[in-house]
Amino acid sequence: MMKASKSISPFRLSSLLRNQKDPALALQLFQNPNPDSNPQPQKPFRYSLISYDIIISKLGRAKMFDQMEQILGQMKQQTHLSPPEIIFCNVMSYYGRARLPDRALHLFDEMPSFGCQRTIKSFNSLLDALFKCGKIEKMREVLEGIEDYGTPDACTYNILIKACEGEELDDARNVFDEMRSKGVEPTDVTLVTLIYKLCSVDRVKEALELKEECERVHGVMANAFVYASLMKGLCGIGEMTLAFELKDEMVRKNIRFDAAVYSTLISVLFKAGRRGEVSGLLKEMSEYGCKPNTVTYNAMIHGYCKEKDFEAAYGVLDEMVKEGCRPNAITYNVIIVALCKEGKWSEANLFFQDLPRRGCHPDMLSYRMLFSGLCDCGQFKEAAFILDEMIYKAYAPHYARTHKLVEGLCEEGNMELLGIVLSSLEKANVLDEDTWRVIISTLRKEKPSDVFELIDTLTIQ
């Protein structure tokens, strides 16, 4: 007689769940941990909080929200369990990333029925979920009841600062001032958020003063992201000397460099016509053990293309591949658009056709750029071919360039190709009234009889 297999314990279940990568299989295991382990009737499986936490996290990350809510409902029935607040904070975070504000609000309201007290921690999770969903007015509404859950902390203020956009940037400074007046110390997140926002609207001097204040008064030291934002902002207003001084300050403070800092400076050197200094920065990167990434190489390729030095740009592309750094669509698109701007449409087209061999599949932007370039160069036959490929891949062309192609074919009197192009546009549902106006107005001037011939051709097709 075969011995029954050993039953899985609650502790063993949590270990198995943690190791199961597939959330659907993890859910199946959770729902039936001991299939056919014992022919005798068994007591209900006594799940642990750890098991609930693991399966809820797996389902939430996989956006399997209906299944996750079933598990939450099951946990609610386990009266012997007292779920910690962090479980609900995590679930609200999943809802926020999935743009499901109503579910986050509902869960927050339901927390007491689980036997879990709501504090400022779960309130912050709700606030952040609403921010991620763009529900700024709802954030203001729920803020009115914040006293019921505790005193606002640094996390609360950081979320409110992040929510201030565009013209509301002064409100972000007001939130920062209130934060300090309430005795809440700013964090590195506070500094990063405010610096980035100020630099994005060219208030760089104010950002520098804020950095100094946070370091001197609050002991919050700037990190690499803060320096990168400041350097980019300084370069944007032409203060290159100050930007490089900040880089030297990072060296003195032993702040670990990342490729973003160097990529920013490389872009600026090219814009200022100081490409000769780029090699020095690359050497410095190597000395600090900071490897160039795709953004770094793209900055160099863009710089060389702006200078119309395509041989150097191709050289960087080859070096990039040699160093094991995979080019992306942006890498290739920069070269394509630069070639088209210089009227090198044939080279751009050949480069585009070679992308699959290079391990890159052209995206919609790649097609649009080449299509626009070919139209601008008057290469309407090649443009029509690219348009056909675009429509086959469900990529919508720009109307302005479509009109240019149609107008060009009309002026050339190429009725056969024009008929094919219009048929393709119609199939893609992008043949509009404006296109017909272009055709009729152009042909009336050139060859009035061709209007009727074209209509007959399209009717037959």
Side-chain angles (χ1 to χ4, degrees):
M1 184 175 177
M2 289 183 63
K3 290 181 68 176
S5 59
K6 190 176 180 181
S7 297
I8 294 175
S9 68
F11 176 79
R12 175 67 176 152
L13 176 62
S14 63
S15 178
L16 292 171
L17 288 172
R18 188 177 286 110
N19 293 329
Q20 177 53 255
K21 304 299 181 186
D22 187 328
L25 292 178
L27 176 61
Q28 187 178 345
L29 174 63
F30 181 89
Q31 292 173 327
N32 194 11
N34 285 311
D36 304 324
S37 61
N38 194 327
Q40 300 300 320
Q42 292 185 0
K43 294 180 181 179
F45 192 87
R46 195 175 179 85
Y47 292 96
S48 68
L49 271 174
I50 295 175
S51 292
Y52 274 112
D53 188 15
I54 293 170
I55 190 62
I56 288 168
S57 296
K58 285 183 178 293
L59 295 173
R61 291 192 193 101
K63 297 185 179 180
M64 297 170 65
F65 296 123
D66 291 340
Q67 295 90 330
M68 182 187 73
E69 286 168 5
Q70 288 176 9
I71 299 300
L72 283 168
Q74 180 179 323
M75 183 176 69
K76 192 177 186 179
Q77 303 304 316
Q78 306 292 311
T79 54
H80 67 284
L81 296 178
S82 298
E85 191 177 18
I86 188 62
I87 289 180
F88 302 99
C89 292
N90 290 337
V91 172
M92 283 186 278
S93 177
Y94 302 140
Y95 286 146
R97 289 200 289 269
R99 306 292 188 269
L100 297 170
D102 292 338
R103 293 199 190 191
L105 284 161
H106 179 73
L107 180 66
F108 184 75
D109 291 339
E110 286 287 302
M111 282 176 63
S113 66
F114 285 84
C116 182
Q117 183 180 358
R118 294 171 294 183
T119 71
I120 197 65
K121 184 179 290 187
S122 52
F123 183 86
N124 288 341
S125 295
L126 173 63
L127 206 62
D128 190 55
L130 293 174
F131 164 67
K132 286 186 171 72
C133 296
K135 299 294 183 180
I136 307 302
E137 286 302 319
K138 193 64 182 179
M139 286 177 67
R140 294 192 180 102
E141 185 182 320
V142 301
L143 273 168
E144 294 176 4
I146 190 172
E147 295 84 3
D148 296 337
Y149 310 105
T151 305
D153 58 11
C155 182
T156 313
Y157 285 110
N158 289 341
I159 295 166
L160 296 178
I161 289 171
K162 283 191 286 186
C164 298
E165 296 288 348
E167 296 177 357
E168 298 177 342
L169 186 53
D170 287 331
D171 292 341
R173 286 306 305 260
N174 293 336
V175 172
F176 179 67
D177 292 338
E178 180 188 326
M179 182 180 188
R180 292 183 301 172
S181 69
K182 294 288 179 69
V184 179
E185 287 294 320
T187 66
D188 56 345
V189 175
T190 317
L191 182 59
V192 165
T193 306
L194 275 171
I195 293 287
Y196 176 79
K197 287 180 176 292
L198 289 168
C199 289
S200 65
V201 292
D202 294 335
R203 290 166 62 172
V204 190
K205 183 179 178 183
E206 195 176 339
L208 284 167
E209 290 172 354
L210 178 64
K211 168 187 169 292
E212 296 299 325
E213 178 188 343
C214 281
E215 290 183 339
R216 185 181 67 257
V217 179
H218 304 287
V220 179
M221 308 311 291
N223 59 20
F225 189 88
V226 169
Y227 278 100
S229 296
L230 287 168
M231 281 186 263
K232 187 174 182 179
L234 286 167
C235 293
I237 60 173
E239 293 286 352
M240 288 183 60
T241 302
L242 279 176
F244 277 87
E245 284 178 4
L246 281 180
K247 179 184 73 69
D248 295 337
E249 183 181 309
M250 289 182 74
V251 174
R252 290 196 303 273
K253 291 184 176 180
N254 291 319
I255 296 174
R256 184 175 177 81
F257 282 77
D258 61 8
V261 172
Y262 284 106
S263 301
T264 298
L265 294 175
I266 286 170
S267 293
V268 171
L269 286 174
F270 273 107
K271 285 178 184 176
R274 293 162 57 177
R275 62 181 274 185
E277 298 175 44
V278 170
S279 59
L281 273 183
L282 292 172
K283 183 180 179 183
E284 187 178 301
M285 281 185 78
S286 178
E287 290 172 354
Y288 285 111
C290 181
K291 288 190 70 173
N293 62 10
T294 306
V295 177
T296 313
Y297 285 114
N298 285 352
M300 295 171 65
I301 289 171
H302 183 263
Y304 286 127
C305 285
K306 290 284 282 186
E307 293 187 350
K308 305 173 188 177
D309 189 347
F310 295 108
E311 287 303 315
Y314 290 137
V316 174
L317 182 59
D318 291 339
E319 181 186 343
M320 189 177 184
V321 174
K322 180 182 174 184
E323 293 297 323
C325 184
R326 188 179 180 83
N328 57 17
I330 295 172
T331 314
Y332 298 113
N333 290 344
V334 166
I335 296 174
I336 290 168
V337 73
L339 288 169
C340 287
K341 280 184 178 179
E342 284 304 298
K344 297 178 179 289
W345 63 267
S346 180
E347 191 175 340
N349 201 3
L350 287 172
F351 185 76
F352 175 86
Q353 301 299 337
D354 193 45
L355 292 189
R357 185 187 65 80
R358 292 174 177 268
C360 176
H361 295 286
D363 60 8
M364 183 169 69
L365 195 58
S366 309
Y367 277 97
R368 280 184 167 181
M369 285 176 168
L370 182 60
F371 177 66
S372 297
L374 290 170
C375 289
D376 290 341
C377 293
Q379 303 302 317
F380 301 121
K381 185 176 180 180
E382 287 76 11
F385 178 78
I386 294 299
L387 176 66
D388 187 57
E389 275 194 31
M390 286 180 74
I391 290 172
Y392 177 76
K393 295 192 174 185
Y395 293 153
H398 285 302
Y399 283 118
R401 289 298 179 268
T402 304
H403 292 168
K404 192 175 184 72
L405 171 61
V406 168
E407 192 175 38
L409 291 172
C410 286
E411 290 174 354
E412 288 181 352
N414 193 338
M415 295 299 104
E416 182 181 354
L417 187 54
L418 179 59
I420 293 171
V421 166
L422 293 178
S423 179
S424 296
L425 292 173
E426 188 177 17
K427 286 176 186 174
N429 199 28
V430 290
L431 182 57
D432 59 354
E433 292 180 10
D434 290 338
T435 307
W436 276 111
R437 289 194 190 99
V438 170
I439 297 167
I440 294 169
S441 63
T442 307
L443 289 181
R444 271 180 178 168
K445 296 175 190 173
E446 304 292 331
K447 300 176 181 178
S449 61
D450 283 345
V451 177
F452 302 105
E453 182 184 332
L454 179 62
I455 293 171
D456 290 340
T457 303
L458 286 174
T459 305
I460 293 169
Q461 289 179 350

